[in-house]
Amino acid sequence: MTMIMSEPATTPDPSTPAGMLEGDLVKRARRGDLHAYDELVKRYQERIYATIYHMTSNHEDANDLAQEAFIKAYSALKSFKGGSSFYTWLYRIAVNKTINFLKQRKNKYHLSLNDIDFNAEHDPDLMALISDKTPTRDVGLSELQKKLNEALLKLSEPHRMVVVLHDVQGQSHDEIAEIMGCNIGTVRSRLFYARQQLQGHLAEYIKP
Amino acid sequence: MNESENNFNDLKQLLKLKRHEIPPPGFFNQFSDEVVARIRAGEGSGTGSFADRLNEQVPWFVSFLRIFEAKPGVIGGFATSLCLLLLFGVVLAERSESGPQSILTTASSQADPTASTPALASVATPTFANSTASEGGIAISTNASLQPVTAFFGQPAGASALFQPASFAPAH
């Protein structure tokens, strides 16, 4: 009985935007319900922002592009046919926007990296990779972060996108193929090539 | 594939560091509010640029155009194939222009022995056509646009079957 009483407190109310299914939220947002769209933004903002941030290595650019991607998605909601999930469709908009932005920016980039959270210092795999020569762990991590971002920026946009979506974001090959509008074979070959390139750029941090 | 995955294990561990990069505290608390505020301000009602609309409506065409971006080899190959196609079209057009004329020359010279040159044939045939039409025969036109379609594909001059029917013989 106690369990039954406590359930409503944890389960979101289906009549509120927070408790609605994605499809219902999309239908409402298409009719102009901004509360529903606000909920959709909240659900996907972290993943969309993170993808753009890892592509640009710049917090301000990622913020602007993520906002623009959500605004663009809202204005284009009427053209969303539902052939894929809203999440995939939204991702596709964000990816296209980011790639277009990076092509215009070309090599004129400057890093504006986010801080590394506390948990990174307690990741044994990560710690094992840091060179013994670095004086302290803090210096080691921030140096590693800078080198890693610089190495990623040396990749072409499609190769960087595949690495970010797969190795950083944890998306499957199928999902990436759908987001990027290419076949799975292309995703695999881009991933392999990008990893090879990265391994070359980060050789001093990776065991031979 | 597993072997290649193992080769990149250290790299994948290193890439984990990216997951620990987080935006300033409270960033996501106001993110959606900013997006909604910008939509309310009218930014979401715009139709977007031409490129954006093209990307939405015909994404395959945009993907096709992207093939050419910064790939001189592909651009060169595509341009060469277009030129070849154009050249082929021009050659084909020239052949089709000369084809019907030679057929006409042969046909009219069979019908009227006096019409031995193309110039004579082109003058003589309409006269003949008019006279046969008035007499109840089958008229034939020298207008190239009214010729059978096969004439445009270089019908051999010797193949007079197209004009062979008794249309040239006066109907008595």
Side-chain angles (χ1 to χ4, degrees), chain B residues 96-101 104 140-152 163:
Chain B
S96 65
E97 274 171 18
S98 61
Q101 210 167 16
L104 266 179
I140 185 165
S141 169
T142 54
N143 187 351
S145 64
L146 298 177
Q147 299 300 329
V149 177
T150 49
F152 291 97
F163 300 96

Side-chain angles (χ1 to χ4, degrees), chain A residues 171-191:
Chain A
Q171 307 251 27
S172 70
H173 292 118
D174 291 345
E175 285 172 324
I176 298 169
E178 200 174 350
I179 289 166
M180 295 189 74
C182 59
N183 60 47
I184 297 175
T186 307
V187 172
R188 286 182 198 277
S189 65
R190 279 180 184 169
L191 188 60

Side-chain angles (χ1 to χ4, degrees), chain A residues 34 37-38 41-42 45-46 49 53-54 59 63 66-67 70-72 74-76 79 96 100 103 114-117 120 123 125-126 129 141 144-145 148-149 152 167-168 192 195 199 202 206-207, chain B residues 1 4-5 7-24 27-36 38-40 43-48 52-53 55-56 63 66 69:
Chain A
L34 278 174
Y37 195 66
D38 183 56
V41 175
K42 280 179 181 151
Q45 60 185 6
E46 290 184 33
Y49 166 84
Y53 167 75
H54 295 314
H59 167 69
N63 181 25
Q67 285 194 17
F70 278 110
I71 292 167
K72 174 82 182 62
Y74 181 78
S75 68
S79 70
N96 286 333
N100 288 340
K103 277 180 181 165
N114 288 331
D115 292 333
I116 297 171
D117 69 13
D123 189 328
D125 295 329
L126 215 49
L129 287 168
L141 270 182
L144 199 57
Q145 182 195 15
L148 184 55
N149 280 284
L152 277 168
D167 288 345
V168 182
F192 183 78
R195 282 170 173 173
Q199 210 157 28
L202 298 163
I206 297 169
K207 291 170 203 160
Chain B
M1 196 66 189
S4 67
E5 288 282 325
N7 290 340
F8 296 119
N9 271 345
D10 281 349
L11 177 69
K12 286 197 276 186
Q13 295 294 340
L14 192 57
L15 282 165
K16 271 188 182 178
L17 180 61
K18 292 289 289 170
R19 296 179 193 171
H20 293 288
E21 291 179 20
I22 51 165
F27 171 73
F28 289 119
N29 294 342
Q30 54 192 26
F31 183 86
S32 65
D33 293 339
E34 285 176 19
V35 170
V36 170
R38 282 178 70 175
I39 291 171
R40 282 210 171 99
E43 285 188 51
S45 58
T47 50
D52 287 340
R53 274 180 283 140
N55 200 19
E56 267 173 38
S63 305
R66 281 205 180 126
E69 286 180 9

Side-chain angles (χ1 to χ4, degrees), chain B residues 21-96:
Chain B
E21 291 179 20
I22 51 165
F27 171 73
F28 289 119
N29 294 342
Q30 54 192 26
F31 183 86
S32 65
D33 293 339
E34 285 176 19
V35 170
V36 170
R38 282 178 70 175
I39 291 171
R40 282 210 171 99
E43 285 188 51
S45 58
T47 50
S49 66
F50 175 71
D52 287 340
R53 274 180 283 140
L54 200 67
N55 200 19
E56 267 173 38
Q57 287 163 11
V58 274
W60 60 268
F61 183 66
V62 177
S63 305
F64 174 71
L65 289 180
R66 281 205 180 126
I67 295 171
F68 300 105
E69 286 180 9
K71 287 179 185 167
V74 180
I75 297 168
F78 187 69
T80 309
S81 56
L82 268 185
C83 288
L84 285 174
L85 198 67
L86 191 68
L87 199 68
F88 178 71
V90 169
V91 169
L92 199 69
E94 278 180 3
R95 282 189 64 188
S96 65

Side-chain angles (χ1 to χ4, degrees), chain A residues 32-202:
Chain A
D33 184 345
L34 278 174
H35 293 293
Y37 195 66
D38 183 56
E39 177 58 27
L40 285 170
V41 175
K42 280 179 181 151
R43 283 190 191 182
Y44 300 120
Q45 60 185 6
E46 290 184 33
R47 277 179 278 181
I48 294 291
Y49 166 84
T51 302
I52 300 173
Y53 167 75
H54 295 314
M55 283 295 290
T56 57
S57 296
N58 187 299
H59 167 69
E60 288 80 22
D61 291 342
N63 181 25
D64 289 345
L65 286 167
Q67 285 194 17
E68 282 170 21
F70 278 110
I71 292 167
K72 174 82 182 62
Y74 181 78
S75 68
L77 261 180
K78 285 190 174 69
S79 70
F80 174 59
K81 303 281 192 299
S84 59
S85 69
F86 172 76
Y87 168 64
T88 306
W89 180 74
L90 176 65
Y91 241 105
R92 211 176 293 149
I93 291 174
V95 163
N96 286 333
K97 221 167 207 352
T98 307
I99 288 178
N100 288 340
F101 169 80
L102 290 170
K103 277 180 181 165
Q104 285 166 7
R105 189 180 74 171
K106 291 191 177 163
N107 294 324
K108 291 174 272 181
Y109 62 84
H110 71 278
L111 299 179
S112 168
L113 302 176
N114 288 331
D115 292 333
I116 297 171
D117 69 13
F118 180 74
N119 296 329
E121 290 177 33
H122 299 279
D123 189 328
D125 295 329
L126 215 49
M127 286 298 109
L129 287 168
I130 297 175
S131 166
D132 296 334
K133 291 172 189 170
T134 48
T136 66
R137 283 191 167 184
D138 270 354
V139 171
L141 270 182
S142 43
E143 184 191 329
L144 199 57
Q145 182 195 15
K146 191 166 174 281
K147 291 280 180 191
L148 184 55
N149 280 284
E150 283 172 348
L152 277 168
L153 286 171
K154 285 177 187 166
L155 299 177
S156 72
E157 288 87 9
H159 289 97
R160 198 187 317 158
M161 187 59 84
V162 172
V163 170
V164 165
L165 290 176
H166 189 270
D167 288 345
V168 182
Q169 302 277 82
Q171 307 251 27
S172 70
H173 292 118
D174 291 345
E175 285 172 324
I176 298 169
E178 200 174 350
I179 289 166
M180 295 189 74
C182 59
N183 60 47
I184 297 175
T186 307
V187 172
R188 286 182 198 277
S189 65
R190 279 180 184 169
L191 188 60
F192 183 78
Y193 179 79
R195 282 170 173 173
Q196 270 189 327
Q197 295 288 307
L198 279 177
Q199 210 157 28
H201 295 314
L202 298 163

